[in-house]
Amino acid sequence: MKKLTTIAAGLGLAQLALISSGALAQDTTRTINSQTDLEQVVVTATRSAKRKAEVGKVVRVITSEQIQRSQGRTLPEVLNNVAGITYSGANNAQSNTSASLFLRGASAGNTLILIDGIPVNDAQSISNEYDLKSIAIDQIERVEILKGGNSTLYGSDAVAGVINIITKKPTNQDLNANVILTAGSYNANKQAIGLNGSVGKTGIAFNYSHTGSKEFSAATDAAGDKNFDRDGYDQHTLSFNGKQQLSERLSVNTNIQLSNNNGMSDGGSFADDKDYTYDRTHFFGGITGRYALENGIIIMNLSNNTVSSKFLNRPDDGSSALTTNNKGRIWQADLFVNKPLTSFLELNSGVNYRSSNSDQFSQYNAYDPEILESENAKSDISSVFTSVFLKNMGGFHLELGGRYNHHSKYGDNFTYTFNPSYLFWNRYKVFFNASSAFKAPTLYQLHSQYRNPDGNLKPEITQTYDAGLDLDIIKRKLNFNATVFQRLTKDDVIYFYSENVAPWKMYYKNGRKQNDKGLELELNAHPLQDLNISVWYSFIKGKATDENGAEIESFLRRPKNSFGWSAGYSFSKLLSFNMMYKYTGHRVDVYYEGFNRRSVDLKSYTLLDVYLQSQPIKNITFFGDFKNVLDTGYVEWAGYNTRGFNFNAGIKYLVR
């Protein structure tokens, strides 16, 4: 009865929000087409704007319309509904600091994250994985997801793919402002304000948002004593993009992304902790210069990416049981040239330099602290890359590229891309992609207390093969695509733990190999002007062996099978409706009880979400986002809670 009352109350709130004054909505409310056809323009696949028909790679786009219909969500929640992506932990408590993005089943940290085309990492973390929850959804224009190995254009860490988060840019219109207010389950609330437009030759895009919640205990109360405390979460984010047109050919863009996240944490799986707090800050700052050639463009990027984390566990007696202070810094310089050489040959070429270091301090009780200093925990990598793109040869396209890398610890290596595709009748594309990727061990794996005792940790080397087809069966009405892939990794870095053997040993070492393969199917239909339907299926299978050839556990928290669909319809110019469904298959997870490692099976589950939106007058939009409407009970991480039925309702007001 309580569940039904909650759902009814939520629907009642949405109904109030959707009451219309009878005015017509703008066309953007009715734009539900996800733009998945071959005419869609993408930039991440080749670092220059091209139609998907010309690109022989798997690229998926979360459009600005989809972002607008996701104001009650986080970026991990949005990505979790993309074929081939499992964002494990996206539906845990907001206060939980742990979550992992798995693209095509690859380990955390093997997907490179870009902000406006510039790589970002977390140099103080174990895997270099960047926390995407730190980027507020209202600061994002669109997201491009490039699947498969792409180290030739983007360097280290682009093993399973690349996710390019494109933030909101200044428009050429006069300055206007917007305000977003939301409230929902678990005391969740958000306030956001944005300013966008141009004054003369100067463009400004500014966004600030605050998000807070007081949900439930991050850890699961297995005993059922109901004495675990509720863990709160608070986030402040700021985004600034500025553009200055210095001349007809030269422009300069500045980009600042700042996020502060703090809250309560727990002691681990099934372990409550009432006084464990954290404070984490992400800073990204970059400047980009663009010079337009007669035919082509030169782009230069300079950026800094810094992440700092502070954890404090202070028991009732006032003593400091655990203190952790970490900071990781990455500086990067990138020079890139895109130049058509002939009507059928285009050149992409550039140089890149990246330097990383980390300071880390951790002390438990009165034990000697573990300390890493940036003068020791550091590395740098220099690269030069070239990719030639053959086009306008009937329906034949070919990308052929290579990248030479010099790492301060590991010396020289080379990665390549061979990517032919053919377009039949400008509607049916077939493609093949063979590529290699390089991922150096992280600073934590190399220098922490868990570093390899022999000091011979080697980088991971990966070969990836993709083949598939992308068919516009009915132009702009029905699209089907299918991809098979295989990813072969040698010297993959694994965490070794000698269970039940004293003295206990815990350190990082190289496994012998990892062999992953999979299949992705997607169908996108737009049968009516106001109706859009998408269906997808993903299968992933992997096998890992240690240095002796013995099979070891692989694909933790990653399902072999996942399936999803979404359907959007605009009933009128006043009301649009969207449903999303996802099935996540059986997975295996591990957790620790003291020094004992436990393995547990995680059952499959399904989630159904509903989103409603109305624009009763020109400058006001109401929305309601209802997640897990069937109140499904499920587990993403062993020993941690997930959200049941919950909703967010809000208003967006545009000030012109």
Side-chain angles (χ1 to χ4, degrees):
M1 184 67 181
K2 182 178 179 181
K3 173 185 171 182
L4 293 175
T5 303
T6 303
I7 295 176
L11 292 173
L13 177 57
Q15 187 177 22
L16 288 174
L18 296 168
I19 291 176
S20 169
S21 68
L24 298 181
Q26 287 184 323
D27 290 340
T28 53
T29 305
R30 298 167 57 82
T31 306
I32 356 183
N33 186 3
S34 59
Q35 301 177 11
T36 53
D37 58 63
L38 292 173
E39 295 304 312
Q40 188 179 38
V41 176
V42 295
V43 296
T44 309
T46 61
R47 297 188 67 166
S48 59
K50 284 184 175 58
R51 295 181 304 130
K52 285 175 63 177
E54 302 176 278
V55 175
K57 298 179 181 179
V58 181
V59 187
R60 297 295 172 258
V61 179
I62 301 173
T63 66
S64 59
E65 290 86 358
Q66 291 170 302
I67 294 293
Q68 289 301 315
R69 297 195 302 271
S70 303
Q71 293 303 311
R73 297 170 179 263
T74 63
L75 179 56
E77 288 177 304
V78 174
L79 289 170
N80 205 29
N81 283 295
V82 174
I85 292 181
T86 295
Y87 210 122
S88 184
N91 295 303
N92 288 347
Q94 287 278 72
S95 59
N96 189 16
T97 58
S98 299
S100 295
L101 185 149
F102 303 121
L103 176 57
R104 288 185 168 178
S107 302
N110 279 274
T111 299
L112 182 64
I113 306 301
L114 311 177
I115 295 180
D116 295 322
I118 302 175
V120 293
N121 297 98
D122 184 355
Q124 53 101 53
S125 71
I126 295 175
S127 66
N128 265 5
E129 183 177 16
Y130 198 78
D131 182 10
L132 293 181
K133 189 171 62 176
S134 67
I135 304 175
I137 197 75
D138 48 277
Q139 298 173 357
I140 300 172
E141 177 63 28
R142 59 190 259 138
V143 180
E144 294 189 358
I145 301 160
L146 175 62
K147 298 180 182 180
N150 286 280
S151 280
T152 296
L153 287 181
Y154 292 105
S156 180
D157 299 347
V159 176
V162 174
I163 296 178
N164 188 9
I165 301 160
I166 301 169
T167 60
K168 291 183 177 179
K169 302 298 186 298
T171 67
N172 293 324
Q173 302 173 353
D174 293 336
L175 287 175
N176 62 76
N178 66 82
V179 178
I180 299 175
L181 301 173
T182 75
S185 304
Y186 307 119
N187 295 324
N189 64 89
K190 181 172 79 171
Q191 308 86 41
I193 184 170
L195 181 66
N196 196 303
S198 295
V199 178
K201 295 183 178 181
T202 302
I204 296 173
F206 170 83
N207 284 272
Y208 165 80
S209 72
H210 166 260
T211 302
S213 67
K214 185 77 169 181
E215 298 181 314
F216 42 80
S217 172
T220 302
D221 180 8
D225 295 332
K226 299 182 179 180
N227 62 348
F228 282 19
D229 68 324
R230 297 167 64 193
D231 295 314
Y233 173 78
D234 200 63
Q235 180 189 70
H236 296 268
T237 64
L238 182 147
S239 173
F240 175 80
N241 278 280
K243 179 180 179 180
Q244 184 67 47
Q245 195 71 37
L246 299 179
S247 69
E248 184 179 351
R249 293 179 178 269
L250 180 62
S251 66
V252 176
N253 292 69
T254 56
N255 189 344
I256 296 174
Q257 308 291 323
L258 180 63
S259 173
N260 177 256
N261 309 265
N262 61 80
M264 301 291 295
S265 186
D266 273 336
S269 299
F270 306 107
D272 189 33
D273 198 319
K274 294 180 171 55
D275 43 34
Y276 194 2
T277 62
Y278 67 88
D279 190 307
R280 178 174 290 170
T281 300
H282 292 74
F283 169 80
F284 170 79
I287 183 168
T288 299
R290 290 181 171 85
Y291 185 80
L293 305 171
E294 288 291 342
N295 190 11
I297 191 169
I298 299 175
I299 300 175
M300 182 174 183
N301 297 306
L302 300 172
S303 67
N304 172 261
N305 171 38
T306 298
V307 182
S308 60
S309 298
K310 298 179 181 179
F311 291 84
L312 177 62
N313 192 347
R314 188 179 299 278
D316 294 337
D317 61 6
S319 62
S320 181
L322 175 64
T323 301
T324 302
N325 292 312
N326 298 336
K327 179 174 285 190
R329 313 168 189 86
I330 299 175
W331 289 268
Q332 185 159 248
D334 184 80
L335 179 65
F336 173 74
V337 178
N338 171 253
K339 174 71 175 175
L341 302 178
T342 68
S343 61
F344 59 87
L345 189 63
E346 180 178 308
L347 175 70
N348 293 325
S349 189
V351 294
N352 176 270
Y353 173 78
R354 180 167 62 181
S355 175
S356 308
N357 67 55
S358 180
D359 290 292
Q360 303 196 7
F361 173 90
S362 181
Q363 184 170 25
Y364 181 72
N365 288 331
Y367 294 103
D368 291 337
E370 292 288 337
I371 299 176
L372 284 181
E373 295 182 345
S374 56
E375 62 183 26
N376 298 316
K378 61 181 180 180
S379 68
D380 61 78
I381 183 169
S382 304
S383 306
V384 57
F385 61 92
T386 295
S387 177
V388 292
F389 188 74
L390 189 67
K391 58 182 182 177
N392 298 329
M393 301 291 291
F396 181 71
H397 300 86
L398 172 67
E399 181 190 2
L400 182 64
R403 187 183 191 101
Y404 165 79
N405 305 286
H406 177 77
H407 194 278
S408 57
K409 178 176 175 60
Y410 295 109
D412 303 334
N413 71 83
F414 180 80
T415 59
Y416 72 91
T417 294
F418 174 69
N419 180 210
S421 66
Y422 196 90
L423 185 68
F424 296 90
W425 303 295
N426 207 33
R427 288 173 58 184
Y428 309 122
K429 181 178 71 174
V430 294
F431 62 89
F432 173 76
N433 186 26
S435 61
S436 62
F438 163 83
K439 179 175 172 58
T442 66
L443 296 176
Y444 185 92
Q445 292 167 342
L446 286 172
H447 300 287
S448 74
Q449 59 180 317
Y450 304 111
R451 60 188 177 272
N452 189 279
D454 298 326
N456 60 355
L457 198 62
K458 294 180 288 186
E460 299 177 353
I461 303 296
T462 301
Q463 302 285 336
T464 302
Y465 305 95
D466 295 78
L469 48 86
D470 200 339
L471 312 177
D472 275 350
I473 299 172
I474 302 176
K475 202 74 171 176
R476 299 188 182 276
K477 293 290 186 180
L478 184 63
N479 174 274
F480 173 77
N481 56 79
T483 308
V484 294
F485 68 89
Q486 185 173 36
R487 185 174 56 245
L488 305 173
T489 303
K490 66 176 184 179
D491 296 326
D492 59 309
V493 177
I494 60 177
Y495 181 66
F496 173 75
Y497 177 65
S498 58
E499 185 177 5
N500 299 325
V501 177
W504 287 277
K505 298 179 181 179
M506 295 170 285
Y507 56 86
Y508 290 95
K509 67 175 185 178
N510 291 106
R512 183 180 178 183
K513 66 179 182 179
Q514 173 87 30
N515 185 348
D516 306 326
K517 54 187 176 182
L519 165 71
E520 293 172 358
L521 305 173
E522 296 182 71
L523 180 68
N524 298 280
H526 187 51
L528 303 174
Q529 179 181 355
D530 299 318
L531 176 63
N532 189 67
I533 300 172
S534 298
V535 183
W536 60 266
Y537 168 75
S538 175
F539 170 80
I540 304 169
K541 184 178 181 180
K543 179 181 179 180
T545 57
D546 64 15
E547 69 274 19
N548 299 315
E551 188 170 351
I552 57 177
E553 278 186 330
S554 179
F555 270 37
L556 294 178
R557 303 188 179 117
R558 283 156 275 182
K560 288 184 178 179
N561 295 282
S562 56
F563 165 78
W565 58 260
S566 65
Y569 186 73
S570 183
F571 291 98
S572 69
K573 295 182 178 180
L574 304 175
L575 175 62
S576 62
F577 169 87
N578 198 60
M579 294 183 66
M580 290 170 287
Y581 169 94
K582 183 176 182 180
Y583 166 84
T584 300
H586 168 270
R587 293 136 295 130
V588 175
D589 197 5
V590 296
Y591 68 95
Y592 290 89
E593 288 183 349
F595 288 100
N596 297 315
R597 178 183 169 106
R598 306 298 187 199
S599 181
V600 59
D601 288 333
L602 302 181
K603 296 181 180 179
S604 61
Y605 65 91
T606 61
L607 294 178
L608 179 65
D609 301 337
V610 176
Y611 181 87
L612 303 173
Q613 180 171 300
S614 177
Q615 193 174 19
I617 58 177
K618 187 175 182 179
N619 293 342
I620 296 181
T621 302
F622 295 101
F623 55 87
D625 195 357
F626 304 87
K627 294 175 281 190
N628 192 7
V629 296
L630 301 179
D631 201 20
T632 301
Y634 61 101
V635 176
E636 288 195 339
W637 284 43
Y640 287 90
N641 290 316
T642 55
R643 292 190 288 273
F645 167 76
N646 63 102
F647 71 91
N648 261 280
I651 180 174
K652 180 177 181 179
Y653 177 58
L654 179 62
V655 184
R656 294 186 183 274

